[in-house]
Amino acid sequence: MLSYKAPLRDMKFLINEMFDYQKHYQTLDNGKNADAETVEMILQGFADFAENVLSPIYQPADEEGCHFNDGQVTTPKGFKEAYQQFAEGGWQGISYPEEFGGMNLPMSLNLIKSEMMGTANWPWAMYPGLSIGAVNTILQYGDATQKRIYLAKLVTGEWSGTMCLTEAGCGTDLNQMKTRATPNEDGSYTITGSKIFISAGEHDLTDNIVHIVLARLPDAPAGTKGISLFIVPKFLPTGSGEMGERNAVHCGSIEHKMGISSSATCVLNFDGATGYLLGEPNKGLKAMFTYMNTARIGTGVQGLAHMELAFQNSLPYAKERRSMRALSGTKEPNQAADAIIHHADVRRMLLTQKAFAEGARSMIYHTARYADKLAEAVVKGDEAAIKQWDDKLGFFTPIIKGFITELSIEAAKHGQQIYGGHGYIKEAGMELIARDARISTLYEGTTGVQALDLLGRKVLLQGGGKVIRDYTAGIMKWCGEYALDKEMRKYVWALTKLCAEWNMLTARLLLTARKDRDIVSAASDDFLMYSGYVMMAYHWARMAAVSFDKLKNGGEQPKEFYLAKTQTAEFYFDKILPRTSAHAESMTTPSSSMTQMQIEHFAFLD
């Protein structure tokens, strides 16, 4: 049976000693609300909820799944009660303005809450999690009436929200989107079409569900320039903001999936449903990316969640499971065999899980500070600041989403390997982590989509590699501060070489793309993974530097905690970081090896 314990030591290490969130919060208008005592209360309170309410119902809910009957979805046993407790605790509104019933705390605290919630029970977490994108989009683009009617209900968790983007045969290519919006005389719109893969599109946790829907107006330009965004509630609100008559949006079915079976993934049919324009006509794609940046960071949190849960449950098993004797000599002579944690290969897998989880957490907590700034700009309506912080987030989000979720699958695989045959048995839970982790690489854009967004748009198209030059300049400045530190020498030297190589690879791809356009797509996956490994290396080097200092001068955590940090950093640089060499070599080979084969030659079948 899987269990979860919130890694509060590591969270506090990052919040207090690595990134100094209290200093960061002083730069925010709502930062004064996030004093150290309040942050501690949030961490402890939600850790208790995640450990004792959400975690115990994770595996049973997977066995039960969701129930679909004539358009109605019933969630597994315990889900509704957990949601009621969540909403009554005010947890949904941590990072939203008090005028809508929120706590007005920084967005980073909501991401930390999401990590605990998601690690304990990711499928359950998706129900309140989908509301966040809806809230953020209405908060930025909604008019005064829309904010008054919808935000308080969504922020308190009385209502929930979704984002309805994907259609059959369309997927990421929104040029092919067919859902239509016809204007009515009263200012509303009639929405007709069908959306698929809508997480939390129908359920019994809340009475009303507010759908944010992409659709085309009759006179819309072709392509993505002709997409608008609409609010389409399950029940139409009255003038006072209460639930009114049923809208013409219905769940046609729920998907039978490889994983996250207790999260309802719905087909939604809009049969002449009433909708309300959100933002400007034909500018829905821009508004949608407000949601996408939020969702992609959230999906990176899912990757972290699976890494952490796999590690937490692999470690005690490796300490208890006995098999053979260690090659370096018997470790437990009073036992029939040594615990498998004494085998170097098992240590490799455990350390990989640990390095991935703690490295990913550092990357996300760093990025969360930009999310704080963006959220503040949205509340203020400061368009210049919104662009500034959205652009900064734009570089990190494909790496956070694509790289971390890919590593989560590896972490889950290691968990199954450590458990051996039991890793394939449902009771142990490792196969559940492996199944649930798979979806994280797919939704909000596949890894390939993230990779192309990073290399094609963020790196090459927008400034010809400037974003890499700027980011590596920051790394090099940090390296300069530790150039003479003997304990940090190996990390500084490795990062210095990687920064030079990263810029060289970027320049080489930029030049090659002038003649070989396919190189951008052909190299993008390697470029994404290379970028992720280097970024994580920088975070591990920084964690090592802080830990060496705390070992000398004392810190909040026991010395063993900091020693483990320095040893994990060494493992990452010695055993994980060399993967960059293969990615570097692969990305610079011509695209011809991928493109030269004729389509009809892919397979010769009788």
Side-chain angles (χ1 to χ4, degrees), residues 453-500:
D453 177 50
L454 175 65
L455 179 59
R457 182 180 293 113
K458 306 296 175 50
V459 174
L460 300 184
L461 188 62
Q462 297 177 357
K466 183 178 184 299
V467 68
I468 301 298
R469 293 193 296 273
D470 290 347
Y471 185 70
T472 52
I475 297 177
M476 292 303 297
K477 181 180 178 181
W478 180 87
C479 286
E481 297 172 6
Y482 291 91
L484 301 179
D485 188 326
K486 64 178 182 180
E487 291 173 319
M488 291 299 298
R489 188 173 298 149
K490 68 178 293 181
Y491 305 115
V492 167
W493 178 238
L495 285 172
T496 299
K497 290 192 294 182
L498 285 166
C499 284

Side-chain angles (χ1 to χ4, degrees), residues 266-287:
C266 304
V267 173
L268 289 183
N269 298 317
F270 298 86
D271 301 314
T274 299
Y276 307 94
L277 183 67
L278 180 59
E280 298 180 52
N282 304 322
K283 293 188 178 180
L285 197 61
K286 175 185 176 184

Side-chain angles (χ1 to χ4, degrees), residues 96 197 211 268 316 406 430 521 575 577 595:
Y96 294 111
F197 301 156
H211 305 293
L268 289 183
E406 286 291 336
M430 277 296 153
S521 180
K575 295 294 186 180
L577 193 55
T595 59

Side-chain angles (χ1 to χ4, degrees), residues 142-452:
D143 59 32
T145 300
Q146 291 168 340
K147 291 178 181 179
R148 176 181 60 81
I149 290 174
Y150 295 103
L151 284 182
K153 303 285 189 183
L154 289 167
V155 166
T156 60
E158 182 178 345
W159 294 354
S160 62
T162 73
M163 296 296 289
C164 300
L165 315 178
T166 306
E167 298 181 10
C170 171
T172 306
D173 185 4
L174 296 176
N175 282 304
Q176 302 181 53
M177 197 187 70
K178 297 177 181 177
T179 299
R180 298 291 171 179
T182 305
N184 300 317
E185 291 183 1
D186 64 357
S188 67
Y189 292 80
T190 298
I191 311 297
T192 305
S194 183
K195 300 287 184 177
I196 65 170
F197 301 156
I198 307 306
S199 300
E202 177 62 30
H203 55 77
D204 60 348
L205 304 185
T206 60
D207 292 330
N208 203 7
I209 304 172
V210 180
H211 305 293
I212 308 298
V213 183
L214 285 179
R216 292 187 185 278
L217 294 168
D219 58 351
T224 55
K225 294 181 179 179
I227 297 175
S228 299
L229 202 59
F230 299 85
I231 300 175
V232 186
K234 177 179 176 180
F235 286 90
L236 295 168
T238 63
S240 61
E242 299 304 314
M243 272 181 22
E245 64 182 44
R246 184 72 158 84
N247 204 357
V249 51
H250 299 93
C251 180
S253 63
I254 58 174
E255 304 294 349
H256 301 281
K257 310 183 295 291
M258 175 181 179
I260 58 168
S261 62
S262 49
S263 171
T265 305
C266 304
V267 173
L268 289 183
N269 298 317
F270 298 86
D271 301 314
T274 299
Y276 307 94
L277 183 67
L278 180 59
E280 298 180 52
N282 304 322
K283 293 188 178 180
L285 197 61
K286 175 185 176 184
M288 184 196 74
F289 274 103
T290 297
Y291 159 76
M292 292 304 291
N293 269 341
T294 303
R296 286 172 177 172
I297 295 173
T299 309
V301 171
Q302 180 184 358
L304 165 58
H306 296 313
M307 294 169 179
E308 179 66 34
L309 194 61
F311 173 65
Q312 282 197 20
N313 288 273
S314 297
L315 181 59
Y317 186 84
K319 290 179 178 179
E320 296 167 3
R321 175 75 167 94
R322 302 183 188 284
S323 181
M324 302 181 291
R325 294 297 184 186
L327 295 179
S328 56
T330 299
K331 305 300 181 185
E332 299 172 281
N334 295 328
Q335 300 292 340
D338 291 334
I340 63 173
I341 196 169
H342 295 295
H343 299 307
D345 187 57
V346 174
R347 291 269 181 129
R348 172 187 64 84
M349 292 186 283
L350 287 168
L351 281 166
T352 299
Q353 291 174 322
K354 178 178 172 65
F356 285 173
E358 294 176 16
R361 182 175 294 115
S362 182
M363 291 166 67
I364 290 170
Y365 282 29
H366 166 77
T367 308
R369 296 180 298 173
Y370 294 151
D372 284 339
K373 293 288 190 179
L374 177 59
E376 180 180 70
V378 168
V379 171
K380 289 181 175 180
D382 185 341
E383 292 297 328
I386 289 172
K387 185 179 186 310
Q388 176 190 355
W389 294 109
D390 196 50
D391 286 347
K392 282 184 176 293
L393 270 176
F395 169 61
F396 290 97
T397 49
I399 299 174
I400 294 291
K401 197 281 182 187
F403 173 72
I404 291 176
T405 57
E406 286 291 336
L407 295 194
S408 74
I409 294 174
E410 182 178 343
K413 180 202 75 173
H414 288 322
Q416 287 188 290
Q417 289 287 313
I418 291 167
Y419 272 69
H422 295 285
Y424 203 65
I425 303 299
K426 286 195 172 185
E427 286 78 6
M430 277 296 153
E431 63 84 35
L432 172 55
I433 299 174
R435 285 189 288 111
D436 281 1
R438 298 298 308 190
I439 186 62
S440 65
T441 65
L442 302 176
Y443 52 27
E444 316 311 340
T446 62
T447 303
V449 169
Q450 306 304 321
L452 198 56

